[in-house]
Amino acid sequence: MEALRLIKTARHALAEARHVPDVLAEARQAALLTEAVGARLAESEYEELGGLGQQLSEAGAHAAVCLDRSVVRAALASGGRAARLTDLGDVAPALGALDGLLQEVGETLVVLACGADTESVYWTCIDGVDAVSECKDLTARLREAALRAEGEQSVALGGAEPERAGSGASPLLMVRLGPPGETGPPGGDAPRTGGPPGEGGPAEQERGVGYRTSGSSEDSGEPEVSEVSVPVG
């Protein structure tokens, strides 16, 4: 199956997941698919694509390990989508779609971390956000390299170099969150209430972290920021 079709399937499955184990399982499936795409790109005859593809494969494997917790294993589907990858198809569009998938995975993990009621789930999400962010950065660089390779091939064949598209969705904003029960986040910007899981728990509801999304404000020129209110406990 082509990479683009598998990536679209993964994005749909992530959006449909409703329970924490299922969401984490889909995030891990996305990481494994990223590893598989990187491994295919590592075989490219273009040196830049091959080198970055190897890095992406390793980063995807690392992300899968970060998300590989007992709460995930119980929800994993059969062999996984990565095993069904047979062809990359058009590389640049596939990498653009993969970039979007990783963006959604990162955002979802941040929301789960905000509402985590155990430290195990919290740290799984935070480690996953870090690892997925690295994958996303490499995916954007690979897409740029793929567009350059396509341009060089077009010029070599006597055509005009194609106009280069944008690099896709904005990068993930790394956020620092205190684990459940901390009296405040690093830096002391806003107090948090409630004790650790099992000792009274946090307040009924707390404000989620601000998370940068694609696009920018028309008035200020700054990236838009959305706030998520997530029930805790």
Side-chain angles (χ1 to χ4, degrees), residues 1-7 84-90:
M1 188 179 293
E2 279 197 356
L4 188 58
R5 183 177 174 187
L6 282 172
I7 292 166
R84 289 151 53 190
L85 178 66
T86 58
D87 185 18
L88 289 181
D90 292 332

Side-chain angles (χ1 to χ4, degrees), residues 38 53 82 140 204:
E204 180 180 352

Side-chain angles (χ1 to χ4, degrees), residues 123-182:
W123 286 115
T124 296
C125 293
I126 293 302
D127 290 345
V129 168
D130 289 341
V132 167
S133 179
E134 181 182 1
C135 292
K136 190 176 186 303
D137 177 68
L138 287 167
T139 299
R141 292 169 60 190
L142 268 163
R143 186 167 182 269
E144 289 294 315
L147 290 170
R148 283 194 295 271
E150 289 177 3
E152 291 172 5
Q153 185 177 35
S154 176
V155 170
L157 294 174
E161 185 172 358
E163 183 178 346
R164 290 170 61 183
S167 58
S170 59
L172 292 176
L173 174 65
M174 300 308 299
V175 293
R176 285 187 174 276
L177 303 173
E182 276 196 1

Side-chain angles (χ1 to χ4, degrees), residues 55-82:
Q55 293 180 49
L56 181 64
S57 178
E58 293 170 359
H62 173 65
V65 170
C66 290
L67 293 164
D68 185 17
R69 302 289 191 266
S70 58
V71 69
V72 178
R73 293 193 185 99
L76 282 177
S78 55
R81 296 184 193 92

